[in-house]
Amino acid sequence: MNTLELLELLEDNARLTPEEIAVMLQADAGEVRRAIQELEQNKTILKYMTLVNWEKAGEEKVSAMIEVRITPQRDVGFDAVARRICRFPEVRSVRLMSGAYDLAVFIEGRTMREVSHFVATRLATIEGVISTTTHFVLKTYKQDGVIVEDSEEDRRLIVSP
Amino acid sequence: MNKTWCERINPVVRDMPPSGIRRFFDMVAETKGVISLGVGEPDFVTPWHIREACIYSLEKGYTMYTSNSGLLELRYAIARDLAETYGVTYDPKSEILVTVGVSQALDLALRALVCPGDEVLIPEPSYVSYAPTVTLAGGKVVSLPTGMEQGFCLRAHQVEAAITPRTKILLLCYPNNPTGAVLDRKTLLEIAEVVVAHDLIVISDEIYDKLTYVGQHTCVASLPGMKERTVLLNGFSKSYAMTGWRVGYACGHGDFIAAMTKIHQYTMLCAPITAQMAALEALKNGRAGMERMVREYNRRRHLVLHAFRDMGLPCFEPKGAFYAFPEIRVTGLTSEEFAEILLQEEKVAVVPGNAFGSSGEGFVRCSYAASLEDLGEALRRMAQLVRRRGVRPRVISTPSRHLPARDAGVSAAGGASSRIFHPGRN
């Protein structure tokens, strides 16, 4: 069985059952189940999640991308500071970037005030953080490969030769 | 008026039956909430980079006629693609003609070749347009029925047996619509031998070539001695999800392409430039996207085959295109009855097999170019109908070891000696 294809299927739809995957990949269901288990155990599969359009659910959320410049430390480089930032539950993602700043930190909060407060009191005060630049998200068009308001429905004729 | 329109209409056209799909289409269109497995086109929209390239070409003002033969750059790209994929070389300047889909290419080829009364051999079940296009060109259709027991594959001896002094053309379409059958190299070589011996021309519609899931597609023109007597037709509709763009092409001997081009220049002038621009982008940068789609179709192919087996419908393993052609005789219904009842009682549309010729009777065509969700739901509903018709679902819960003896790839559902499910493969 092709593990990459298995991952590709699950990344697109985590609700597929091992039986369904087994049929599609011409494998044995037990084999699929074992492969998934192993991928979960060795953390190749990190988590199964649902992509939610919170705006549609009536939940107000404010998110921001914060450019963080930090002083790399001897032996650990950027890792120590990055790992500290990771621990805050408000932080959705942390990535080391090439270019004018070091870390791209995505934050989610309930209000703008909450996010600003977090940046000012938590993030900016971490030792090693030189500066932060906060960019608030105004609108999300596409997220994790999914276009939020996709108008491309099936327009094919219902029967064709 | 002294005469009615009916009297004035060319009898060839007047007496031509409308497509078997048409009547069914009207019926489906009136029913609400239908899941359709009756669609003969990809469920993907054209990849964005192709659409974007077309938009850009419009912005730059590419809105004029092209050469009758099509954009030279596109013809070069087609030649390169064929050379790289099949090792067949065509001169882009004289041996390739860009057309408005394969449909037009086929029409041109037949009109340029067929003299009144010439016989054209067509393996059946076949795509609905072949026979009428031959008739319109003044030719006589000779059907070569292929059944499930032969894996819907044409055999050389069938061609041989059908040949008369008037036989001129063998029209091939593999991977096949509606059966999904492919012809392997060996079978094609045997057919080619007959073709050469009787000095026939092959028109080969290879629109589904890229959608081959088992083995490799054999391009007829790549066989020894066949390039000179083959008119190769292909296009962008299926492999790049570009049905509505209507771009196809014909490749063949320079003299013949020139003849086709003559009809083309008087009746069509050229294929639309915007679509040609998009096709060029597809050939330049479309491979990765196309391969992704093919992988996806292949998974769905396994899914539908498995489902038919489970519901107790014998189904030949389709090795190409995106159709499955299960046999529905066990339900005691004809193709049309089955399709109608399935539509009315379960709101699922499939195409009755007899729409593709009388040898398609007893089968229905199910397209798996549909989303996984739709496919799953449609198959569930289909299984309900099949069960109501008294067919026992034959669930084989533990797929067994590899079993030999399946040369035709036919699986009688639940049969001990043949099956669809190959856990060992891949």
Side-chain angles (χ1 to χ4, degrees):
Chain A
M1 187 185 40
N2 185 338
T3 312
L4 291 182
E5 223 178 339
L6 167 68
L7 287 170
E8 192 181 296
L9 278 175
L10 281 176
E11 190 188 31
D12 186 55
N13 182 0
R15 295 180 70 187
L16 289 173
T17 64
E19 286 74 20
E20 286 168 325
I21 294 171
V23 171
M24 285 194 274
L25 300 186
Q26 295 278 274
D28 173 72
E31 194 191 330
V32 172
R33 218 171 282 122
R34 275 191 300 280
I36 293 176
Q37 209 167 32
E38 198 185 312
L39 291 164
E40 286 168 356
Q41 270 159 10
N42 70 21
K43 301 273 183 199
T44 305
I45 293 175
L46 290 171
K47 193 182 177 180
Y48 301 101
M49 306 206 305
T50 304
L51 202 57
V52 179
N53 181 350
W54 283 108
E55 204 178 307
K56 204 153 209 172
E59 175 81 359
E60 296 276 327
K61 288 205 181 209
V62 175
S63 39
M65 199 273 277
I66 299 143
E67 301 174 2
V68 183
R69 289 175 58 227
I70 55 183
T71 319
Q73 292 166 344
R74 189 169 179 134
D75 296 332
V76 290
F78 298 98
D79 292 356
V81 179
R83 293 218 168 94
R84 274 190 82 174
I85 295 175
C86 282
R87 303 234 169 248
F88 291 104
E90 296 89 336
V91 173
R92 298 293 298 173
S93 70
V94 178
R95 290 187 171 96
L96 182 63
M97 310 296 284
S98 65
Y101 58 95
D102 304 309
L103 298 178
V105 176
F106 262 90
I107 302 231
E108 215 167 68
R110 248 188 279 280
T111 61
M112 217 162 185
R113 215 180 119 86
E114 198 180 288
V115 173
S116 323
H117 185 73
F118 175 81
V119 175
T121 64
R122 305 278 179 207
L123 202 57
T125 56
I126 292 174
E127 200 184 328
V129 170
I130 303 166
S131 73
T132 63
T133 313
T134 305
H135 306 274
F136 282 100
V137 173
L138 301 181
K139 185 169 177 177
T140 303
Y141 294 95
K142 187 175 183 179
Q143 190 180 347
D144 295 316
V146 178
I147 297 176
V148 176
E149 280 170 26
D150 200 352
S151 55
E152 278 181 6
E153 76 261 28
D154 194 346
R155 297 193 182 90
R156 296 175 299 166
L157 293 175
I158 200 147
V159 178
S160 61
Chain B
M1 293 213 298
N2 298 332
K3 281 183 179 170
T4 66
W5 275 108
C6 258
E7 288 166 319
R8 288 168 205 259
I9 289 169
N10 176 349
V12 176
V13 177
R14 190 183 55 215
D15 302 338
M16 183 174 284
S19 159
I21 284 184
R22 184 68 223 179
R23 194 182 70 86
F24 195 65
F25 173 82
D26 294 338
M27 204 187 311
V28 177
E30 284 167 17
T31 321
K32 288 264 179 295
V34 173
I35 299 180
S36 183
L37 305 186
V39 189
E41 61 179 312
D43 64 315
F44 302 100
V45 288
T46 308
W48 174 247
H49 72 97
I50 297 175
R51 289 186 272 162
E52 206 275 338
C54 167
I55 295 165
Y56 182 62
S57 79
L58 281 174
E59 281 175 351
K60 282 204 297 185
Y62 283 98
T63 58
M64 60 293 282
Y65 294 130
T66 70
S67 137
N68 293 131
S69 310
L71 288 169
L72 188 59
E73 208 187 339
L74 175 59
R75 283 180 278 147
Y76 267 102
I78 291 167
R80 209 176 307 124
D81 185 49
L82 289 170
E84 279 167 12
T85 319
Y86 302 116
V88 198
T89 48
Y90 287 103
D91 176 7
K93 292 205 170 109
S94 60
E95 297 180 324
I96 298 177
L97 170 66
V98 177
T99 58
V100 180
V102 171
S103 305
Q104 193 217 355
L106 177 71
D107 184 36
L108 293 176
L110 288 168
R111 281 205 271 168
L113 209 50
V114 171
C115 303
D118 281 347
E119 292 175 5
V120 180
L121 307 179
I122 305 179
E124 211 191 69
S126 80
Y127 179 58
V128 296
S129 303
Y130 294 156
T133 313
V134 169
T135 310
L136 283 172
K140 185 170 165 250
V141 176
V142 178
S143 298
L144 308 177
T146 63
M148 188 161 81
E149 67 291 344
Q150 64 191 86
F152 298 109
C153 288
L154 182 67
R155 300 290 179 214
H157 65 81
Q158 284 184 283
V159 181
E160 180 100 58
I163 288 171
T164 73
R166 291 310 307 263
T167 308
K168 195 169 198 175
I169 300 166
L170 171 63
L171 176 47
L172 294 178
C173 170
Y174 294 94
N176 182 263
N177 174 6
T179 64
V182 303
L183 282 192
D184 58 28
R185 195 180 164 83
K186 184 172 157 285
T187 312
L188 267 172
L189 280 169
E190 288 163 9
I191 292 170
E193 216 172 289
V194 177
V195 165
V196 173
H198 294 272
D199 201 20
L200 305 184
I201 294 294
V202 171
I203 298 180
S204 185
D205 175 356
E206 300 187 15
I207 187 75
Y208 291 100
D209 68 332
K210 302 285 198 298
L211 309 185
T212 301
Y213 312 106
V214 182
Q216 294 252 303
H217 173 73
T218 308
C219 175
V220 176
S222 73
L223 299 175
M226 284 306 288
K227 192 194 152 197
E228 58 181 38
R229 56 175 70 244
T230 300
V231 187
L232 174 64
L233 311 182
N234 207 332
F236 298 85
S237 296
K238 315 293 176 173
S239 28
Y240 297 99
M242 291 178 66
T243 46
W245 299 80
R246 313 305 307 124
V247 213
Y249 54 87
C251 307
H253 192 279
D255 291 348
F256 185 65
I257 292 296
M260 284 175 68
T261 308
K262 224 186 310 181
I263 310 177
H264 182 65
Q265 75 187 5
Y266 290 130
T267 57
M268 188 65 69
L269 230 162
C270 67
I273 189 170
T274 40
Q276 291 192 55
M277 284 292 190
L280 184 58
E281 170 65 20
L283 282 180
K284 275 185 181 162
N285 300 310
R287 180 160 284 273
M290 184 249 292
E291 284 167 356
R292 242 193 328 274
M293 290 193 266
V294 173
R295 274 205 303 281
E296 178 85 38
Y297 286 136
N298 191 25
R299 291 177 205 138
R300 299 179 195 172
R301 183 179 74 101
H302 295 314
L303 204 72
V304 293
L305 263 179
H306 189 73
F308 289 137
R309 181 196 67 137
D310 272 2
M311 67 179 87
L313 293 183
C315 185
F316 152 79
E317 182 192 344
K319 298 190 174 105
F322 37 59
Y323 310 105
F325 206 57
E327 188 184 6
I328 47 82
R329 287 202 179 94
V330 281
T331 60
L333 300 167
T334 66
S335 296
E336 287 197 16
E337 286 166 353
F338 183 88
E340 274 187 50
I341 294 178
L342 184 64
L343 177 67
Q344 278 151 14
E345 297 182 5
E346 298 291 345
K347 302 214 184 305
V348 174
V350 296
V351 180
N354 64 340
F356 306 97
S358 53
S359 56
E361 178 53 50
F363 298 85
V364 293
R365 188 194 74 176
C366 302
S367 161
Y368 49 87
S371 70
L372 271 186
E373 293 75 26
D374 279 359
L375 211 50
E377 178 59 23
L379 289 166
R380 257 189 299 282
R381 294 185 191 179
M382 205 162 157
Q384 285 176 32
L385 170 67
V386 170
R387 201 168 314 143
R388 273 207 304 282
R389 297 295 305 178
V391 180
R392 303 310 310 154
R394 320 237 175 119
V395 183
I396 306 157
S397 44
T398 36
S400 43
R401 311 132 273 124
H402 249 302
L403 288 166
R406 42 176 300 285
D407 18 328
V410 177
S411 165
S417 63
S418 55
R419 63 205 172 78
I420 302 157
F421 201 67
H422 311 286
R425 206 171 53 215
N426 294 338

